[in-house]
């Protein structure tokens, strides 16, 4: 019993650290890549890849080394890994803008935590293998459920118990201290597991475990089936996370929900067989597929936002339970344990590779979830409904053809003019309306990033969030010294250029190269502006930090990707960069329209920290002019300006004071509506 508890504690602790380090490091490097959500997807791909390497190491050492040599090798590597502490994310490890973002993220994470993470990843399968030898227990797979329980615990602890109270620096330091302690525990367990004195004489006899030289080769069909059953739920949870954030509700950290469901299905199916009953899922899965066929955005319109999230969560749970239940039902003899886990990790990595790397290259829209669901259907037809292989192949070919046609027809029916996808997101342009109301819109998912009327007499009207009564327009149109110098972080369609006059200077900062291209080719705001227009590629804050002071009369910050926010644009260091480029009486205008976050306390705290006064401007919607309701935060030391906009603005509402955000500290959950 004591031996089992020791192994369980070691596995639980290592899996806790495996999952805790993921959000910490991803958050640390987010500012380097403009806060793009793709940073999280790429980071998950990295961690899945290193999990695969750890499982491969565990498999090879278990196959070719004796238990004693395995233990001493692992203990030695754990000791060597202490030289990597404390872990950090140093900007010096960033290869630079000339390297693609995905490669840069992978390089930084490898330098930061690659070796310690690799050893932690190997812990689960190694310790389960040693547990089989030491305790003579034929069924070590419940320890796999314990491992996933540790991962789920870490996932839920981070946003609620760690992020709100500790800076990133302290999180990394705390993780490093915990790693040193866990490494010592693992080294102790490794050596303990090879001692004959630890054999539990009361445990049931172990089924014969082949020696390394006589290990049975796993059948190819079994290995391929394990890989497919592991890859499908990996792609499914990532696809649902993308679907929720892009087409339902771009709530920060909403990916926690699908990942928690993914881990929970692992815990249940590997805890005991009774949680998964194939007969029940023969009925449940078709219902799940039917719900997914409706589409996430249509679900939100039919049953409300919370209802859509609940339905998608239940559908994901059913699909993951099927895949992981079939995996658990096909567990091999413990002598094949490390090879089995290697196939599971390979499948998980392939699912992450598809969503994180391949999909952005081969699709011009978010199609990861439909593809993953199609894979789930085909697996179920084979394993649950026993469809013959020939019919399955024909059905797969037909599905691919139908999927391609449906995607093309669906895009045409939505008025798509153009679709583009890259690391920073999927953009599409639509032409809607007719006559004088014909307009062109730039969209990122469901979020509008600028529209323009196509008739010459209306093409210079400020629309969407930038109408003439918006906070940004009021700040720009205030009678500043001529000519005006205006800086704008976030280009979109270039709508704010409509307020430029001859002699003015407008300087846009835009991270996404696809947005720059579309603003210049599909919209005429920039080329029709009589003022001097410059577009600076790259992250706006980083560019401002590099440049000499620009002496802007107005600096507009509007680089938020939908309803999610690049946190690095709302920190004390970011405000310092903004004020460096403003004239002493200049106006800082920040777009804070958001359905899910109340950003007012954040920007109010930062403004007060700098001794600046602030007002809110909320303009109503005007459908005839294609103007949306918007909220802008205006910060200035110019009393004349604040008095002039007084009748059109609101004082800051009373709110719970929060600690000003910094590059080292932020807490999204504090400002959820």
């Amino acid at each position: 019993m004591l031996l089992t508890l020791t192994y369980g504690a070691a596995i639980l602790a290592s899996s806790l650290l495996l999952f805790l380090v993921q959000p910490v490091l991803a958050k640390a490097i987010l500012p380097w890549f403009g806060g793009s959500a793709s940073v999280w997807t790429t980071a998950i791909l990295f961690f899945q890849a290193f999990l695969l390497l750890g499982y491969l190491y565990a498999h090879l050492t278990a196959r070719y080394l004796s238990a004693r040599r395995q233990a001493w090798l692992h203990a030695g590597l754990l000791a060597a890994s202490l030289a990597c502490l404390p872990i950090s994310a140093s900007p010096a490890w960033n290869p630079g803008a000339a390297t693609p973002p995905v490669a840069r993220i992978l390089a930084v994470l490898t330098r930061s935590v690659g070796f310690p993470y690799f050893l932690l990843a190997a812990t689960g399968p190694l310790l389960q293998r040693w547990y089989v030898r030491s305790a003579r227990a034929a069924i070590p797979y419940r320890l796999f459920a314990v491992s996933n329980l540790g991962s789920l615990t870490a996932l839920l602890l981070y946003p609620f118990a760690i992020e709100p109270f500790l800076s990133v620096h302290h999180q990394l330091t705390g993780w490093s201290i915990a790693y040193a302690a866990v490494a010592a525990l693992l080294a102790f367990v490794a050596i303990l597991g090879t001692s004959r004195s630890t054999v539990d004489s009361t445990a049931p006899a172990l089924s014969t475990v082949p020696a390394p030289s006589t290990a049975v080769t796993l059948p190819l069909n079994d290995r391929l089936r394990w890989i497919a059953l592991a890859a499908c739920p990996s792609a499914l949870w990532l696809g649902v996370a993308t679907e929720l954030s892009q087409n339902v509700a771009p709530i920060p950290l909403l990916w926690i929900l699908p990942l928690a469901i993914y881990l929970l299905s692992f815990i249940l199916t590997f805890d005991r067989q009774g949680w998964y009953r194939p007969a029940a899922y023969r009925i449940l899965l078709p219902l799940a597929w039917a719900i997914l066929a409706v589409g996430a955005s249509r679900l939100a319109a039919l049953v409300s936002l919370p209802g859509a999230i609940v339905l998608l969560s239940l559908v994901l749970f059913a699909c993951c339970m099927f895949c992981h239940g079939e995996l658990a039902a096909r567990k091999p003899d413990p002598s094949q344990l490390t090879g089995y886990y290697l196939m599971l990790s390979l499948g998980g990595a392939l699912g992450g590779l598809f969503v994180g790397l391949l999909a952005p290259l081969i699709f011009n829209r978010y199609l990861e979830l439909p593809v993953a669901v199609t894979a789930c259907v085909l697996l179920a037809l084979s394993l649950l409904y026993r469809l013959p292989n020939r019919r399955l192949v024909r059905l797969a070919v037909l599905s691919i053809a139908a999927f391609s046609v449906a995607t093309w027809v669906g895009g045409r029916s939505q008025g798509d003019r153009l679709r583009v996808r890259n690391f920073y997101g999927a953009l599409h342009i639509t032409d809607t309306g007719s006559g004088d109301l014909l307009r062109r819109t730039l969209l990122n998912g469901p979020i509008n990033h600028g529209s323009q009327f196509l008739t010459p007499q209306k093409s210079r009207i400020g629309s969407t969030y930038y109408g003439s009564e918006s906070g940004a327009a009021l700040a720009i149109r205030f009678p500043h010294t001529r000519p005006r110098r205006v800086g704008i972080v976030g280009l979109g369609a270039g709508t704010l250029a409509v307020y430029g006059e001859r002699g003015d200077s407008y300087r846009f900062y835009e991270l996404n190269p696809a947005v720059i291209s579309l603003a210049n080719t599909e919209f005429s705001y920039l080329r029709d502006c009589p003022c001097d227009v410059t577009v600076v590629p790259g992250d706006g804050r980083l560019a401002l930090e590099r440049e000499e002071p620009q002496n802007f009369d107005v600096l507009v910050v509007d680089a938020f990707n939908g309803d999610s926010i690049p946190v690095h644009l709302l920190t004390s260091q970011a405000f310092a960069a903004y004020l460096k480029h403003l004239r002493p009486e200049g106006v800082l205008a920040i777009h804070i329209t958001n359905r899910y976050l109340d950003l007012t306390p954040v920007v109010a705290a930062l403004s007060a920290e700098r001794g600046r006064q602030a007002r809110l401007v909320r303009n109503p919607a005007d459908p005839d002019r294609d103007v949306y309701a918007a909220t802008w935060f205006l910060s200035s030391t110019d009393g004349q300006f604040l008095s002039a906009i007084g009748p059109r603005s609101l004082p800051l509402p009373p709110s719970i004071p929060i600690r000003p955000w910094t590059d080292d500290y932020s807490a999204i959950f504090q400002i959820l509506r």
Side-chain angles (χ1 to χ4, degrees):
M1 182 65 177
L2 178 61
L3 186 64
T4 300
L5 290 175
T6 302
Y7 274 92
I11 289 176
L12 183 68
S14 63
S15 60
L16 268 168
L17 290 184
L18 275 174
F19 260 71
L20 278 178
V21 76
Q22 297 181 24
V24 178
L25 278 176
K27 182 175 180 178
I29 65 174
L30 267 174
W32 305 353
F33 304 92
S36 170
S38 296
V39 173
W40 297 100
T41 305
T42 306
I44 288 171
L45 172 60
F46 165 83
F47 292 118
Q48 287 177 321
F50 269 71
L51 189 71
L52 173 61
L53 291 176
Y55 278 34
L56 178 61
Y57 157 79
H59 176 65
L60 293 177
T61 55
R63 184 167 185 175
Y64 295 109
L65 297 180
S66 67
R68 186 172 299 275
R69 288 181 177 178
Q70 292 172 43
W72 284 107
L73 171 62
H74 200 60
L77 291 176
L78 286 167
S81 70
L82 298 180
C84 301
L85 303 181
I87 64 169
S88 63
S90 172
W93 299 340
N94 189 348
T99 306
V102 170
R104 290 160 60 194
I105 294 171
L106 297 179
V108 170
L109 293 177
T110 300
R111 290 286 299 272
S112 300
V113 76
F115 189 32
Y117 193 90
F118 162 76
L119 294 176
L120 285 175
T123 295
L126 274 180
L127 263 62
Q128 289 179 58
R129 177 75 174 187
W130 296 341
Y131 176 72
V132 169
R133 292 182 179 277
S134 300
R136 300 190 182 277
I139 306 176
Y141 289 106
R142 295 192 75 174
L143 291 176
F144 187 59
V146 170
S147 173
N148 283 282
L149 177 61
S151 300
L152 180 59
T153 302
L155 179 69
L156 299 178
L157 277 177
Y158 182 75
F160 301 108
I162 296 177
E163 185 190 34
F165 305 107
L166 296 175
S167 67
V168 172
H169 171 73
H170 288 111
Q171 290 172 31
L172 292 172
T173 301
W175 189 92
S176 300
I177 294 171
Y179 176 82
V182 171
L185 173 63
L186 296 178
F188 168 74
V189 172
I191 297 171
L192 180 72
T194 62
S195 171
R196 293 188 179 185
S197 63
T198 62
V199 173
D200 183 358
S201 60
T202 66
L206 172 65
S207 60
T208 302
V209 178
S213 59
T214 61
V216 178
T217 301
L218 296 168
L220 178 60
N221 285 342
D222 287 350
R223 284 181 286 174
L224 293 177
R225 191 175 291 115
W226 292 338
I227 291 171
L229 286 169
C232 184
S234 175
L236 275 169
W237 88 256
L238 284 166
V240 168
T242 301
E243 185 74 13
L244 285 172
S245 62
Q246 292 295 328
N247 294 320
V248 179
I251 300 172
L253 298 183
L254 191 59
W255 56 269
I256 285 178
L257 179 60
L259 180 52
I261 291 170
Y262 171 81
L263 292 173
L264 179 62
S265 66
F266 255 133
I267 294 168
L268 294 177
T269 54
F270 280 82
D271 177 60
R272 63 174 185 265
Q273 288 186 344
W275 289 111
Y276 171 67
R277 299 182 181 276
Y281 282 86
R282 290 189 185 98
I283 300 171
L284 291 175
L285 283 178
L287 294 175
W289 301 331
I291 292 172
L292 284 171
V294 174
S297 56
R298 287 194 290 269
L299 278 176
L302 291 172
V303 298
S304 79
L305 173 61
I309 293 176
V310 169
L311 280 175
L312 281 176
S313 299
L314 291 174
V315 165
L316 176 63
F317 180 72
C319 294
C320 287
M321 282 293 291
F322 156 66
C323 293
H324 291 153
E326 291 292 329
L327 271 175
R330 288 169 168 74
K331 297 188 300 285
D333 184 271
S335 64
Q336 305 296 320
L337 181 145
T338 57
Y340 174 67
Y341 286 152
L342 178 62
M343 297 301 103
L344 265 61
S345 63
L346 175 59
L350 289 175
L353 181 70
F354 167 69
V355 175
L357 189 60
L358 295 181
L361 295 176
I362 61 180
F363 300 138
N364 62 5
R365 66 188 75 195
Y366 291 106
L367 296 176
E368 294 90 316
L369 183 57
V371 171
V373 171
T374 302
C376 180
V377 172
L378 294 175
L379 283 170
L381 290 176
S382 173
L383 301 177
L384 275 184
Y385 302 103
R386 307 296 181 184
L387 197 69
N389 288 339
R390 287 186 178 181
R391 292 183 61 186
L392 195 64
V393 170
R394 288 198 296 267
L395 186 60
V397 172
L398 180 62
S399 298
I400 293 172
F403 183 81
S404 301
V405 172
T407 301
W408 181 80
V409 172
R412 299 282 292 183
S413 66
Q414 295 172 13
D416 284 358
R417 173 182 172 84
L418 180 66
R419 284 186 176 266
V420 178
R421 185 175 179 183
N422 61 11
F423 174 82
Y424 299 104
L427 303 170
H428 66 283
I429 291 178
T430 62
D431 288 347
T432 55
S434 60
D436 288 346
L437 298 180
L438 180 62
R439 61 184 179 272
R440 181 165 296 166
T441 304
L442 174 62
L443 297 160
N444 186 340
I447 304 301
N448 188 313
H449 284 270
S451 296
Q452 183 175 30
F453 287 106
L454 298 183
T455 56
Q457 61 271 27
K458 285 190 171 185
S459 63
R460 294 283 296 166
I461 293 177
S463 59
T464 62
Y465 301 103
Y466 318 103
S468 58
E469 300 302 312
S470 67
L474 293 178
I476 292 173
R477 295 164 61 204
F478 182 75
H480 303 282
T481 304
R482 293 290 192 270
R484 291 172 297 189
R485 292 186 57 81
V486 178
I488 302 169
V489 179
L491 174 61
T495 310
L496 284 173
V498 298
Y499 301 111
E501 299 177 5
R502 192 170 302 279
D504 290 347
S505 175
Y506 274 56
R507 191 172 182 85
F508 290 90
Y509 299 86
E510 175 54 49
L511 175 66
N512 191 341
V515 170
I516 297 175
S517 174
L518 294 175
N520 280 287
T521 58
E522 299 296 322
F523 299 88
S524 65
Y525 287 126
L526 298 183
R527 61 176 177 267
D528 290 345
C529 181
C531 64
D532 177 34
V533 175
T534 303
V535 178
V536 179
D539 179 76
R541 175 185 158 181
L542 298 181
L544 289 170
E545 289 175 340
R546 290 192 302 264
E547 293 179 344
E548 293 298 318
Q550 297 293 317
N551 269 333
F552 292 130
D553 297 292
V554 180
L555 179 59
V556 179
V557 180
D558 181 39
F560 301 159
N561 181 19
D563 285 321
S564 59
I565 58 170
V567 171
H568 73 296
L569 297 179
L570 293 176
T571 66
S572 183
Q573 292 84 351
F575 258 56
Y578 303 152
L579 300 185
K580 163 189 167 184
H581 292 277
L582 274 175
R583 291 193 308 105
E585 296 80 25
V587 179
L588 177 62
I590 304 177
H591 190 191
I592 61 172
T593 304
N594 200 290
R595 290 175 290 177
Y596 309 108
L597 300 174
D598 181 10
L599 297 174
T600 304
V602 178
V603 290
L606 294 170
S607 184
E609 185 181 41
R610 301 285 171 175
R612 297 171 66 85
Q613 300 180 61
R615 304 282 292 182
L616 288 180
V617 174
R618 292 193 177 105
N619 64 273
D622 185 351
D624 292 337
R625 293 189 298 146
D626 195 29
V627 170
Y628 300 167
T631 303
W632 288 83
F633 178 89
L634 303 183
S635 172
S636 179
T637 59
D638 187 346
Q640 184 181 359
F641 168 75
L642 294 171
S643 298
I645 67 167
R648 303 180 183 182
S649 65
L650 301 169
L652 298 182
S655 58
I656 300 175
I658 69 169
R659 173 181 167 186
W661 287 3
T662 67
D663 287 349
D664 208 32
Y665 169 81
S666 61
I668 293 290
F669 276 86
Q670 290 182 337
I671 59 171
L672 282 174
R673 293 187 186 276

